[in-house]
Amino acid sequence: MALPLLPGNSFNRNVGKEKFHKSQHWGFCNNVMMLVSDEKPGIGGEPLLGQKIKPKCSIYPKGDGSDVPSWVAFDKQVLSFDAYLEEEVPDKSQTNYRIRYYKIYFYPEDDTIQVNEPEVKNSGLLQGTSIRRHRITLPPPDEDQFYTVYHFNVGTEVVFYGRTFKIYDCDAFTRNFLRKIGVKVNPPVPCPEDPYMKIRREVLEHVEPLRPYESLDTLKQFLQYHGKILCFFCLWDDSVSMFGDRRKLILHYFLCDDTIEIKELLPHNSGQDAIKMFLRRSKLPKNCPPRVYQPGQITDRAVLNLYGDFIKNQADGFLMDRYKLGEVDQEFYKDSDLSLGVTINVWGRKVLLCDCDEFTKSYYKSKYGIENFTSVSCKPPSPPPKIERKFPPYNGFGSEEDSLRTCIGLKPTPHRRNFKKFMEKDSYGFNSNILRFFAKLVTDKCVDLDRMFVISYYLSDDTISVFEPIERNSGITGGMFLKRSRVKKPGQEVFKSELSEYIKAEDLYIGVTVNVNGYLFRLLNADEYTLNYMEQNTDKYPFSNLKLALQKLKQEEAKSRELKQVFRAADRKHTKKVDYNTFRDILMSFTVGNLSEQEFVTIVRHYRAPEDTCSDVDFLIALAHEKFKKNMFENFDSFIYSCVYEDREKKNVLPTKDIKRLCKSSRLPLSDDLLESLLSRFEDSEKQIDYKSFFSALNWRKNPVPELQPASYLKERCEDVWLGMPSPIPAKYIDYLTLLKDVFGLEEE
């Protein structure tokens, strides 16, 4: 009777078995039947009796966790061994062998091995990956097996393809990994030194470099401290100087490049310019230099001389200053120099560090071990009591000066005018001391857009008058727009104790918009006297300083070649000059708004090309004939007789001042400007005039001149024609080549 199939009642080993396949031990190799392997298992993959199958990969001890494959358990884990190799060098007389250092990487996930050789500078060897990652077989006679993790240990030797690697150390992870799998790791073995690198190092120690400049590697500091900024709250006490006060500042120290930036904290309604940047980002020297360093004085390298073309096939080169002669020694502020309560020198200004933020405190605590961060008080000391003299506000009766004089003394006295200024700046002779500007009304009304005005500023008493030229059929009366008086600056309180501020001569220049009693006038141009006065007083009118204007052009030196090409393209006739409108368009687009209107006019006046005066003489004579015809003036022979009487030496010439005095005394019906223009046209180099030719040309009976139509003045494209006024441009043509030569040093090609 058979036993039931219950656990423990059956002795059949095949119970529960599913695999009964038989391994194939025979096969064909090169069409020859032969035994493929004698390590094949028996039926069902079970080993035969007495058979021991060699493992094909590393067998790790089983732990308590889940049984996962090795490629999952050891993913991204690498064992690193340090090894060296002795290589014979038969062709070298210095050494017979070399020591080469390698890194052996063993990957436990698939028992693959990779060998890398670290790169050594100037070694003369091909370095890098020596053996790519793959499984390596054991040396003969075990070439049918592969290296496993148990073949590696410190102090042992491994042979890869006939090359013997001696392992002398490993990293901490590899050491812990081997201990966990039951391998006893040997202590590190001393590594021999490469004799060739030793000889080379001894040679380099006794050789001086050709360029002995130390390399400053700032990349590590930048990567470590990029975005990390120390913040200090500072105080600059400038109350000692005139109109100075205590200013609060914020100091930013950038750890990535040791630069400092200072910003100013401006309170609301402080009355100061809204410029927050007190010191732009740069390295701050501890001691201010006594003078400004010249360009090229502060540099990392200095070239002593250039050489080349002396010997055939020799490359050009340069000789550096190896001893750094004349080097400027500067000491800059570091983070170790900044702490609370310290006063630093910011270009001559004593700045006190009062407080800092939390990041700055943690930085100094971790790096320098500072624990005390007591802040310094920024409050100003209490000022002594001062009795301020107060005056009642202006009540509207009389002038502000008269009202103020009644409050100063018991006996009112009139306001004293600046008599010295009146005597120096009053009109005398040919000096009018009056600044005249041509202006246009700035308004939104279409009727007033074309109205032109003449604004006169009297230097003797700082008064202003506004006159509107009369234009026929315009619908506007014209005439005096504002009587001569002082004009207050806009935005001032009417009834106050202080005196009001008035428009000064320095506030008027071409291109500025002036508020005259609520009317906005844009100054478009000025007469010849005004422009000459402004150019002679450049301390008051910096926009009329030619040097400052040319310095702004020099800032665009990178575009000098392009500017010259644009001028040459505009000068198609190669006359070395361009007209005013073309010059204005080119220069304004070149400077991109950095050049003001007054500076542009100053440049144009200095580089204007001489004009042809023949047409001007004919036009002036025609105007004079028209005046004589209207006044029926024909007594020119008497002028010639008087001049002959004055000409004692019978040279037929007289000084210009005598001719002018004669014309004035005889009441010649010509205006002063027209008479001055005519005299200047007939004047020679010695300031003398041929009186016969002069008065013969003015005689409209004997020498009539055809009536000439006034030439249309060249005007700006953005303005209308100025009726009854001189040309609105200072010159018709400008010599651009001389300008380029003076500014950029460009010669004619």
Side-chain angles (χ1 to χ4, degrees):
M1 180 177 179
L3 296 176
L5 294 175
L6 294 176
N9 295 332
S10 177
F11 300 97
N12 189 3
R13 297 181 179 179
N14 295 329
V15 175
K17 191 174 181 180
E18 297 179 356
K19 296 180 180 181
F20 296 96
H21 66 277
K22 184 178 181 181
S23 301
Q24 180 68 25
H25 293 261
W26 297 92
F28 291 89
C29 182
N30 296 328
N31 296 326
V32 177
M33 183 181 295
M34 59 184 302
L35 183 65
V36 178
S37 177
D38 54 353
E39 295 183 359
K40 292 293 184 71
I43 298 176
E46 293 182 356
L48 300 175
L49 294 176
Q51 185 182 20
K52 294 182 179 180
I53 300 177
K54 299 179 181 180
K56 296 183 179 181
C57 58
S58 301
I59 300 177
Y60 300 97
K62 295 184 178 180
D64 298 334
S66 59
D67 190 8
V68 295
S70 61
W71 55 271
V72 176
F74 304 116
D75 185 27
K76 298 181 180 180
Q77 295 185 10
V78 184
L79 306 183
S80 177
F81 297 92
D82 297 329
Y84 66 91
L85 173 67
E86 293 185 5
E87 186 178 29
E88 294 184 359
V89 184
D91 298 335
K92 292 291 183 178
S93 61
Q94 298 176 349
T95 57
N96 297 328
Y97 68 95
R98 292 197 62 175
I99 301 297
R100 302 180 67 173
Y101 305 99
Y102 291 90
K103 283 280 189 179
I104 300 177
Y105 299 105
F106 183 86
Y107 297 86
E109 55 180 335
D110 54 359
D111 291 350
T112 55
I113 300 173
Q114 181 179 355
V115 180
N116 291 348
E117 183 178 7
E119 294 184 1
V120 179
K121 187 177 180 181
N122 297 328
S123 64
L125 300 175
L126 268 172
Q127 297 172 335
T129 302
S130 179
I131 300 177
R132 291 184 296 178
R133 177 180 175 182
H134 66 286
R135 297 187 69 185
I136 301 177
T137 59
L138 294 173
D142 300 327
E143 63 270 13
D144 58 339
Q145 301 180 27
F146 297 93
Y147 275 100
T148 62
V149 67
Y150 297 100
H151 292 94
F152 294 91
N153 200 343
V154 178
T156 60
E157 297 181 357
V158 290
V159 180
F160 297 152
Y161 300 109
R163 305 179 71 184
T164 304
F165 296 87
K166 300 179 180 180
I167 302 175
Y168 63 89
D169 200 359
C170 63
D171 59 359
F173 173 78
T174 305
R175 191 177 298 274
N176 294 332
F177 186 88
L178 295 177
R179 288 175 180 174
K180 289 180 180 179
I181 63 175
V183 178
K184 183 179 179 181
V185 183
N186 300 326
V189 179
C191 177
E193 186 179 3
D194 186 9
Y196 174 75
M197 297 305 296
K198 181 179 179 181
I199 295 173
R200 182 176 180 82
R201 184 171 60 254
E202 293 176 355
V203 172
L204 291 177
E205 289 178 355
H206 296 84
V207 175
E208 295 183 359
L210 295 177
R211 299 179 184 178
Y213 292 94
E214 62 276 2
S215 60
L216 301 177
D217 186 11
T218 58
L219 180 60
K220 178 181 179 181
Q221 181 182 1
F222 175 79
L223 296 177
Q224 183 178 1
Y225 294 107
H226 178 60
K228 298 181 180 181
I229 304 172
L230 305 181
C231 180
F232 291 90
F233 301 97
C234 315
L235 175 66
W236 175 37
D237 190 359
D238 191 34
S239 58
V240 181
S241 60
M242 185 179 294
F243 309 111
D245 54 356
R246 298 166 63 89
R247 299 190 180 185
K248 295 183 179 180
L249 310 172
I250 295 181
L251 186 145
H252 292 156
Y253 185 89
F254 297 85
L255 295 172
C256 60
D257 55 358
D258 298 328
T259 55
I260 292 178
E261 174 188 80
I262 300 179
K263 295 184 178 180
E264 184 175 1
L265 293 176
L266 295 176
H268 295 288
N269 302 325
S270 63
Q272 300 177 3
D273 295 335
I275 302 176
K276 295 185 178 180
M277 189 60 65
F278 186 80
L279 177 66
R280 66 178 183 178
R281 181 177 175 180
S282 61
K283 287 190 175 183
L284 182 61
K286 292 184 178 180
N287 301 318
C288 297
R291 54 183 175 81
V292 178
Y293 294 113
Q294 298 298 325
Q297 190 172 359
I298 300 178
T299 179
D300 295 335
R301 299 188 177 187
V303 179
L304 294 180
N305 198 355
L306 301 175
Y307 60 88
D309 297 334
F310 296 104
I311 303 175
K312 188 176 180 180
N313 298 330
Q314 181 179 356
D316 297 341
F318 51 89
L319 182 62
M320 307 297 295
D321 182 10
R322 59 187 298 179
Y323 297 106
K324 300 182 181 180
L325 299 177
E327 181 185 7
V328 178
D329 187 12
Q330 285 186 312
E331 186 177 2
F332 299 97
Y333 278 103
K334 301 291 184 180
D335 56 348
S336 58
D337 301 324
L338 305 179
S339 61
L340 298 185
V342 174
T343 302
I344 62 175
N345 183 11
V346 182
W347 297 103
R349 297 165 178 84
K350 303 300 181 181
V351 177
L352 176 64
L353 306 183
C354 300
D355 201 356
C356 60
D357 59 354
E358 294 299 329
F359 172 76
T360 306
K361 294 179 181 179
S362 61
Y363 173 81
Y364 278 94
K365 184 177 180 181
S366 60
K367 185 173 182 180
Y368 297 104
I370 299 176
E371 299 289 343
N372 186 12
F373 296 99
T374 305
S375 60
V376 181
S377 177
C378 299
K379 295 182 179 180
S382 57
K386 182 179 179 181
I387 300 176
E388 183 180 0
R389 188 175 185 182
K390 297 182 180 180
F391 298 100
Y394 174 63
N395 55 9
F397 293 94
S399 63
E400 295 180 356
E401 291 79 5
D402 293 337
S403 299
L404 182 62
R405 297 297 298 178
T406 58
C407 302
I408 293 178
L410 296 177
K411 185 178 180 180
T413 56
H415 174 67
R416 293 184 179 181
R417 299 174 59 185
N418 193 345
F419 187 76
K420 181 179 179 181
K421 179 180 179 181
F422 177 80
M423 294 301 295
E424 291 177 352
K425 298 297 183 180
D426 194 17
S427 59
Y428 62 93
F430 296 105
N431 295 328
S432 61
N433 285 321
I434 301 175
L435 307 181
R436 293 185 177 90
F437 297 89
F438 303 104
K440 185 176 182 180
L441 188 63
V442 180
T443 180
D444 297 331
K445 298 180 181 179
C446 299
V447 181
D448 299 334
L449 289 177
D450 299 332
R451 298 178 66 180
M452 309 298 295
F453 298 86
V454 177
I455 299 178
S456 302
Y457 186 91
Y458 299 84
L459 298 174
S460 59
D461 54 357
D462 299 330
T463 56
I464 295 176
S465 66
V466 182
F467 180 82
E468 184 178 8
I470 300 175
E471 184 180 355
R472 294 181 180 180
N473 301 326
S474 63
I476 300 175
T477 306
M480 186 61 67
F481 186 82
L482 176 66
K483 291 184 178 181
R484 180 177 176 180
S485 60
R486 291 193 300 172
V487 179
K488 296 181 180 180
K489 291 184 179 180
Q492 300 185 75
E493 186 179 357
V494 179
F495 303 101
K496 60 182 185 300
S497 302
E498 298 80 10
L499 297 177
S500 300
E501 295 183 4
Y502 296 87
I503 296 178
K504 299 180 181 179
E506 294 81 5
D507 301 331
L508 302 179
Y509 53 90
I510 298 176
V512 73
T513 301
V514 184
N515 190 333
V516 180
N517 296 337
Y519 294 91
L520 297 178
F521 294 94
R522 179 175 176 81
L523 306 185
L524 303 177
N525 207 342
D527 59 358
E528 187 70 16
Y529 175 82
T530 303
L531 295 175
N532 290 334
Y533 179 83
M534 297 171 74
E535 291 173 1
Q536 293 173 4
N537 299 273
T538 55
D539 54 340
K540 297 181 180 179
Y541 301 93
F543 293 126
S544 296
N545 193 338
L546 181 63
K547 294 183 179 179
L548 297 180
L550 295 181
Q551 285 181 0
K552 291 187 177 181
L553 294 181
K554 288 183 180 179
Q555 295 176 0
E556 306 291 339
E557 191 173 358
K559 305 178 183 177
S560 58
R561 295 293 179 184
E562 181 182 354
L563 179 63
K564 183 178 180 180
Q565 294 177 0
V566 174
F567 274 125
R568 295 190 65 180
D571 185 15
R572 298 179 180 178
K573 297 182 179 180
H574 304 286
T575 59
K576 301 179 182 179
K577 58 184 179 180
V578 294
D579 61 283
Y580 175 83
N581 288 327
T582 304
F583 183 80
R584 175 187 174 86
D585 295 342
I586 295 175
L587 206 60
M588 285 301 182
S589 61
F590 177 74
T591 55
V592 196
N594 294 333
L595 206 64
S596 63
E597 292 290 338
Q598 182 68 41
E599 292 174 333
F600 176 78
V601 171
T602 304
I603 295 175
V604 170
R605 283 170 51 81
H606 187 268
Y607 293 96
R608 57 186 172 185
E611 301 179 2
D612 188 10
T613 59
C614 295
S615 59
D616 295 339
V617 172
D618 297 337
F619 179 73
L620 293 175
I621 293 176
L623 289 179
H625 286 186
E626 184 179 359
K627 294 285 185 179
F628 295 148
K629 291 177 183 179
K630 289 182 179 180
N631 293 276
M632 295 302 294
F633 188 87
E634 301 177 357
N635 192 13
F636 295 101
D637 294 334
S638 61
F639 283 96
I640 297 177
Y641 296 151
S642 301
C643 292
V644 171
Y645 178 77
E646 293 287 338
D647 188 11
R648 304 291 183 180
E649 299 178 359
K650 305 301 180 181
K651 293 183 179 181
N652 294 329
V653 292
L654 285 177
T656 305
K657 60 181 181 179
D658 295 340
I659 301 292
K660 183 177 181 181
R661 176 178 51 79
L662 182 61
C663 295
K664 286 288 187 179
S665 61
S666 301
R667 296 185 178 181
L668 194 68
L670 295 177
S671 62
D672 295 341
D673 296 336
L674 182 56
L675 181 60
E676 287 284 343
S677 300
L678 286 171
L679 293 174
S680 62
R681 297 302 188 275
F682 287 86
E683 188 181 35
D684 57 6
S685 60
E686 298 178 0
K687 295 186 177 181
Q688 292 183 349
I689 298 176
D690 187 355
Y691 52 83
K692 289 184 179 181
S693 61
F694 177 72
F695 290 108
S696 297
L698 296 181
N699 195 340
W700 57 279
R701 286 288 188 185
K702 295 181 180 181
N703 300 314
V705 177
E707 295 182 1
L708 299 176
Q709 296 294 334
S712 60
Y713 293 108
L714 185 62
K715 61 179 181 178
E716 291 177 295
R717 297 172 183 172
C718 59
E719 304 296 341
D720 297 331
V721 180
W722 291 3
L723 301 177
M725 298 184 184
S727 173
I729 62 173
K732 293 184 179 180
Y733 297 95
I734 295 91
D735 187 1
Y736 68 89
L737 192 60
T738 306
L739 173 63
L740 296 177
K741 182 178 179 181
D742 294 344
V743 178
F744 306 112
L746 298 178
E747 299 290 345
E748 182 181 2
E749 296 179 359

